Amino acid sequence: MQHLTIVDHPLVQHKLTLMRRKDTPTSEFRRLLREISQLLAYEVTRNLPMTTRTIDTPIEPMDAPVLDGKKLALVSILRAGNGMLDGVLELIPSARVGFVGLYRDEETLEPVEYYFKVPEGIEDRVTIAVDPMLATGNSSVAAIDMLKKAGAKNIRFLCLLAAPEGVARMKEAHPDVAIVTASLDRQLNEKGYIMPGLGDAGDRMFGTK
Ligand code: URA
């Protein structure tokens, strides 16, 4: 897979515009995120390994294509990742699920781990980490570091919006991790928010502000 894939499908772009609008209510924002996540999941899983299995149709036997290998691992980067997780799980219901919790130390500004739980056998699973906003890339890079430490080898990163700064940081730290997003926005502002962006994804999906 190429390092950065921008999904320019009209449905994705239209839904993203609705999400960006500041007057879009929380319930609508959450529903749109779930829908877009399914469309993005379609792209991030495009080249999964396949095999064939012999089945019987009502007409005759055939060697039919099925996914190969262990079930996928989906890893939500808390808390905003949970808004994407639901949509992706609807598309891939048999996936195993993990969670990574990180907060930013206000003094060092470094991400600090507070929760980490991933599916067994992650080393043999295609792993999709989900987080709507790839902004500075600090927490995303830290989350991927943790996944690799746990044994994950084949990792993809699925986000809704990316900033050039975050993409560059990921490419430097994890050139093997393909990023799939709906948009590469212009830049970060001085507070680390994506411009034009959509604001704080967590607050908008959970109504905390
Ligand atoms: N996290 C968010 O929720 N929004 C941004 O714009 C950047 C990081």
Side-chain angles (χ1 to χ4, degrees), residues 133 135 188 192-194 197-202:
M133 310 300 267
L188 298 178
Y193 281 92
I194 297 176
L198 49 71
D200 187 298

Side-chain angles (χ1 to χ4, degrees), residues 183-205:
S183 175
L184 181 63
D185 275 15
R186 193 171 76 250
Q187 67 185 94
L188 298 178
N189 70 10
E190 67 291 348
K191 290 187 177 157
Y193 281 92
I194 297 176
M195 295 192 291
L198 49 71
D200 187 298
D203 283 340
R204 295 207 56 192
M205 77 181 72

Side-chain angles (χ1 to χ4, degrees), residues 1-5 167-168 170-172 174-180:
M1 270 177 98
Q2 54 190 14
H3 187 253
L4 178 68
T5 301
V167 172
M170 277 285 268
K171 188 166 190 179
E172 194 192 345
H174 297 296
D176 55 310
V177 174
I179 300 166
V180 174

Side-chain angles (χ1 to χ4, degrees), residues 21-205:
R21 293 174 56 160
K22 66 178 182 188
D23 51 0
T24 296
T26 300
S27 58
E28 186 78 357
F29 186 93
R30 238 188 346 251
R31 182 181 62 78
L32 288 162
L33 182 58
R34 199 178 62 239
E35 291 171 1
I36 287 199
S37 301
Q38 292 184 24
L39 298 168
L40 296 176
Y42 180 81
E43 196 58 43
V44 79
T45 52
R46 178 178 286 284
N47 63 355
L48 286 181
M50 301 293 293
T51 185
T52 57
R53 190 171 296 155
T54 307
I55 60 163
D56 293 312
T57 79
I59 309 298
E60 63 176 9
M62 76 173 280
D63 290 330
V66 288
L67 293 170
D68 195 17
K70 278 199 175 191
K71 298 198 165 37
L72 259 68
L74 301 179
V75 178
S76 168
I77 302 174
L78 299 172
R79 69 179 161 153
N82 282 11
M84 296 189 80
L85 180 65
D86 295 344
V88 181
L89 263 178
E90 272 175 38
L91 198 70
I92 319 168
S94 61
R96 304 309 193 223
V97 179
F99 296 91
V100 176
L102 294 163
Y103 70 88
R104 195 164 72 139
D105 184 298
E106 290 306 326
E107 279 182 12
T108 64
L109 302 182
E110 290 299 316
V112 181
E113 170 185 342
Y114 67 86
Y115 189 78
F116 187 76
K117 180 89 181 170
V118 291
E120 275 184 2
I122 196 162
E123 58 279 5
D124 299 321
R125 303 180 189 273
V126 172
T127 299
I128 302 175
V130 296
D131 189 350
M133 310 300 267
L134 177 57
T136 61
N138 288 343
S139 58
S140 309
V141 164
I144 304 291
D145 286 343
M146 290 157 70
L147 290 173
K148 285 188 174 173
K149 212 162 139 199
K153 295 188 187 81
N154 186 346
I155 307 173
R156 299 159 192 211
F157 188 84
L158 185 60
C159 58
L160 180 65
L161 294 187
E165 295 89 332
V167 172
R169 174 110 168 74
M170 277 285 268
K171 188 166 190 179
E172 194 192 345
H174 297 296
D176 55 310
V177 174
I179 300 166
V180 174
T181 187
S183 175
L184 181 63
D185 275 15
R186 193 171 76 250
Q187 67 185 94
L188 298 178
N189 70 10
E190 67 291 348
K191 290 187 177 157
Y193 281 92
I194 297 176
M195 295 192 291
L198 49 71
D200 187 298
D203 283 340
R204 295 207 56 192
M205 77 181 72

